[in-house]
Amino acid sequence: MHALLDWERAAIVKLAAEWGEIDRSHRKLAHCGSRLELVYVSESTVLRVLVAEGVHLPERPARERRDKRPFPEWAELVPGVIFIYDFTHFAGLPKWCAIAVLDVVSRKWLATVVSAEETSTQVEVTFTRALVEDGKEYLLDQPLLDELACGVVPDNDERLPVLLAVSDNGPQMTSKATAVFMAGARIAQHFGRPGTPNDQTQVAYCTSSGCGG
């Protein structure tokens, strides 16, 4: 251990001048200094020197607020119309995850699948179980699914849609395979705002706390 040397102080100030606009954080600057082999100091040391030298890092610009998209007019706030789903991970089992489907209005826990994979396949399996649990297995329309898989989208088809599936923008939710399955089961998709986990608060809380039993 040694007292901070003058050249180290100068290196920290120079680092802030050259990288402050990019890193905007004393923590990132400390790692940047090590990566560039300019100065090896702790995060707290960088902060202490910057404060002593009167150096203020640029603040991050405020994130542009995005209004929450309303549900489609046909999606009534009654049980059995709007489902919400999400994946969750386990701290003690890092290679495993669970996907759960809940009814937004009744808060009924419809289905859960635990898997080592996190793909559109798990979405399809879980929603199939959810539809059966909710007495809607008749929506699993194989002829319609085959048409959609071939790129044929029926015009003015009264079969589409019947349910609304709410989720975040994860790749499993936005994939083409998931979109085809959802459309085949007459389920419209509604995605939450990027970087806004509160849009999925209900299912995220339930899957993490195990409130489904």
Side-chain angles (χ1 to χ4, degrees), residues 82-120:
I82 306 174
F83 292 171
I84 189 169
Y85 71 106
D86 197 9
F87 284 89
T88 190
H89 300 84
F90 308 103
L93 296 170
K95 295 184 179 180
W96 289 81
C97 64
I99 174 176
V101 179
L102 286 73
D103 186 303
V104 167
V105 177
S106 69
R107 303 188 68 179
K108 179 181 179 181
W109 188 294
L110 297 170
T112 309
V113 168
V114 178
S115 173
E117 296 184 337
E118 191 173 348
T119 70
S120 58

Side-chain angles (χ1 to χ4, degrees), residues 27 33 55 58-59 70 116 123 137 142 144 149 157 162 165 196 206:
R27 296 182 178 86
V55 177
E59 295 183 359
V123 175
E137 59 268 28
Q142 190 59 47
L144 177 58
D157 193 330
V162 175
T196 312
C206 285

